[in-house]
Amino acid sequence: MTSQWNSPIWHPFTQHALQPNMTKIRRGDGAYLYDEDGRRIIDAISSWWVVTHGHCHPNIVSAIQKQAEQLNQIIFAGYTHEPAEQLARLLLKFAPRTLHYVFFSDSGSTSVEVALKMALGYWHNIGEPRSRIVVMQHSYHGDTVGTMSVGARGVFNSAYEPLLFDVTAVPFPEHDHEQATFDAIEVACRNENPAAFIVEPLILGAGGMLMYPAWVLKEMKRICEAYNVLFIADEVMTGWGRTGTLFACEQADVLPDIACYSKGLTGGSLPLAATLCNSDIFDAHYSSDRTRTFFHSSSYTANPIACAAAKANLDLWQDHAVRKRLASVAQMQENAIETFRADTRFRNVRRIGTITALDMEVADSGYLAGVGPKLQAFFSDRNLLLRPLGNTIYVMPPYCVTAADLNEIYVSISDAADALT
Ligand SMILES: *Cc1c(COP(=O)(O)O)cnc(C)c1O
């Protein structure tokens, strides 16, 4: 088809033939975005799950400004800088106590690639090479070739399938069928000598906002530990308060061997990621033998401005007020979703922490469900940024959202069900 698209920009996850208009945003402030014409839009999905305290939080903006004038980039091999040092110390203070080292990169996908390389490097360096990765059905870990390999296979990656490496997928722990997941993990651990199990703790995001309880996470970790399989927690989305605690693993008392953080790490202001690991993994690479070096870097590893932004974000988390705010957003979300639980137009009405999700009752479901783009257009007309995953509508607001904002969002969700079913 010859393109009628009138811009040189190729947007992500966008079918330009079907979506010819991009909304041009000029300014962001708290939970709101303002377009060119001054129209105010409520950012109900935190600009793709990254904005935590709100757009342009003054503390983060000022940290960025100060750092930009001081040192804005420096090679990170053989060199270090104060924002990275301070950030790493704070990260270890907040993260599960098993994690002792911080490796910086620049996106969620790269933080997962780093995690996989750390896991394989560990087994390689201790002389027991292992390479099999166990994953959970419906998972999402990124869009690079390695992270697609450990993520759900489907329409998103069928063209690249020949390049994806083979993994062992265990079923998602459906309510009352959790044992099937445990059994599958156990079988994989026993028979396949896997290097690691990677999982999104408590909620699978892009796979459809699928939630499972803390005790399941804990049991999965217990099995991995029993078989000496590394446990990788991909907290790229769940981190920074989304599930009601700073990190999702906290709720299950799970101490991962490796954890990936990105998205809200800078409060949603700049790209940055961190992969944290335990000392065994670091020590397996620590050697006078240079072949045991961890051979990974990206040009902007630990960019000082991004680190300063993240440090300002972590400083906010030191303040009890943010945690109180989190609890009140969770409560407001619960109040808002409550009335939908008995609403026959929706299924699987659910919430974890500050995230709610519900599936609209339609004939064709799934990510490419015809209703998806229609919903998005409907919400856009209502001045809402919502981006349903097919017929799954979810609300993941920045923590400065008000009850009035949420009311506007949920009234529109209800109206959308009337208009589109
Ligand atoms: C978004 C996401 C990623 C990928 O992060 P990018 O910054 O988009 O590369 C990885 N894992 C999870 C769980 C995510 O939600």
Side-chain angles (χ1 to χ4, degrees):
M1 203 167 162
T2 307
S3 171
Q4 317 253 322
W5 172 235
N6 58 10
S7 155
I9 299 173
W10 194 344
H11 288 260
F13 266 72
T14 301
Q15 179 44 269
H16 286 284
L18 297 174
Q19 196 186 341
N21 299 309
M22 299 292 128
T23 308
K24 200 169 191 175
I25 299 297
R26 177 163 288 167
R27 191 164 72 80
D29 182 11
Y32 309 122
L33 297 164
Y34 297 88
D35 76 0
E36 283 192 303
D37 310 321
R39 180 170 72 115
R40 192 192 82 169
I41 298 163
I42 301 176
D43 188 350
I45 61 160
S46 299
S47 282
W48 246 349
W49 321 349
V50 298
V51 176
T52 48
H53 314 291
H55 287 270
C56 296
H57 190 286
N59 297 26
I60 296 175
V61 170
S62 120
I64 290 171
Q65 285 170 337
K66 270 173 70 181
Q67 187 56 44
E69 289 171 4
Q70 180 90 28
L71 172 71
N72 57 29
Q73 170 63 7
I74 173 74
I75 176 175
F76 206 58
Y79 291 79
T80 191
H81 53 80
E82 200 51 29
E85 297 286 335
Q86 289 181 2
L87 173 58
R89 280 196 293 273
L90 267 179
L91 274 168
L92 292 186
K93 181 177 156 191
F94 284 123
R97 63 177 182 279
T98 35
L99 304 173
H100 288 123
Y101 294 92
V102 179
F103 192 94
F104 289 110
S105 61
D106 39 30
S107 74
S109 300
T110 50
S111 74
V112 172
E113 297 280 358
V114 164
L116 298 173
K117 286 175 71 171
M118 279 179 177
L120 265 70
Y122 168 77
W123 293 111
H124 177 267
N125 288 351
I126 66 164
E128 282 180 48
R130 299 189 188 187
S131 59
R132 190 94 186 155
I133 307 291
V134 181
V135 308
M136 184 180 280
Q137 177 195 20
H138 303 310
S139 292
Y140 177 81
H141 298 290
D143 284 333
T144 55
V145 171
T147 59
M148 280 192 294
S149 299
V150 293
R153 307 297 165 92
V155 63
F156 314 107
N157 44 43
S158 58
Y160 327 114
E161 181 80 37
L163 287 186
L164 305 189
F165 57 78
D166 202 24
V167 297
T168 301
V170 303
F172 175 81
E174 301 283 355
H175 181 61
D176 279 344
H177 294 85
E178 296 88 357
Q179 193 57 44
T181 303
F182 303 148
D183 292 346
I185 296 175
E186 189 145 4
V187 167
C189 286
R190 195 183 308 128
N191 300 339
E192 305 189 28
N193 209 25
F197 173 55
I198 182 167
V199 73
E200 298 165 79
L202 303 187
I203 171 169
L204 276 54
M209 298 295 158
L210 306 173
M211 306 176 189
Y212 62 90
W215 71 269
V216 173
L217 181 62
K218 197 172 171 67
E219 178 61 11
M220 295 191 301
K221 171 65 168 77
R222 191 196 62 75
I223 298 167
C224 290
E225 217 169 288
Y227 288 91
N228 198 20
V229 170
L230 296 174
F231 189 93
I232 304 174
D234 178 354
E235 294 237 24
V236 168
M237 186 279 270
T238 52
W240 315 106
R242 293 291 175 204
T243 67
T245 44
L246 184 59
F247 301 122
C249 281
E250 286 169 30
Q251 293 178 46
D253 263 327
V254 156
L255 302 172
D257 299 300
I258 303 177
C260 307
Y261 306 118
S262 188
K263 293 204 165 108
L265 172 56
T266 60
S269 61
L270 285 170
L272 184 69
T275 308
L276 275 57
C277 72
N278 68 25
S279 2
D280 290 345
I281 293 168
F282 182 85
D283 291 348
H285 290 82
Y286 186 80
S287 166
S288 51
D289 175 358
R290 294 175 65 182
T291 65
R292 288 168 170 247
T293 305
F294 187 52
F295 293 109
H296 193 94
S297 171
S298 33
S299 306
Y300 286 97
T301 296
N303 172 265
I305 305 176
C307 287
K311 161 75 169 52
N313 172 43
L314 267 72
D315 284 341
L316 287 170
W317 282 102
Q318 310 230 57
D319 185 346
H320 190 64
V322 175
R323 314 239 175 191
K324 262 179 70 184
R325 184 72 211 150
L326 208 59
S328 96
V329 173
Q331 187 58 54
M332 289 193 297
Q333 280 278 67
E334 180 57 35
N335 298 344
I337 198 96
E338 182 61 41
T339 54
F340 288 87
R341 292 193 196 272
D343 191 326
T344 53
R345 299 171 303 166
F346 299 95
R347 268 179 299 119
N348 303 331
V349 178
R350 55 203 186 272
R351 178 186 70 86
I352 182 167
T354 67
I355 308 169
T356 58
L358 60 182
D359 305 338
M360 214 165 99
E361 227 18 293
V362 285
D364 68 327
S365 56
Y367 184 83
L368 292 187
V371 76
K374 288 182 200 153
L375 281 168
Q376 207 176 313
F378 183 93
F379 295 131
S380 175
D381 283 343
R382 294 288 185 95
N383 298 335
L384 298 175
L385 169 49
L386 277 166
R387 198 172 196 283
L389 296 156
N391 62 320
T392 299
I393 303 172
Y394 67 91
V395 181
M396 194 191 293
Y399 309 142
C400 56
V401 74
T402 65
D405 296 334
L406 289 177
N407 186 54
E408 225 177 285
I409 293 166
Y410 287 96
V411 165
S412 294
I413 292 174
S414 178
D415 290 350
D418 286 338
L420 299 173
T421 49

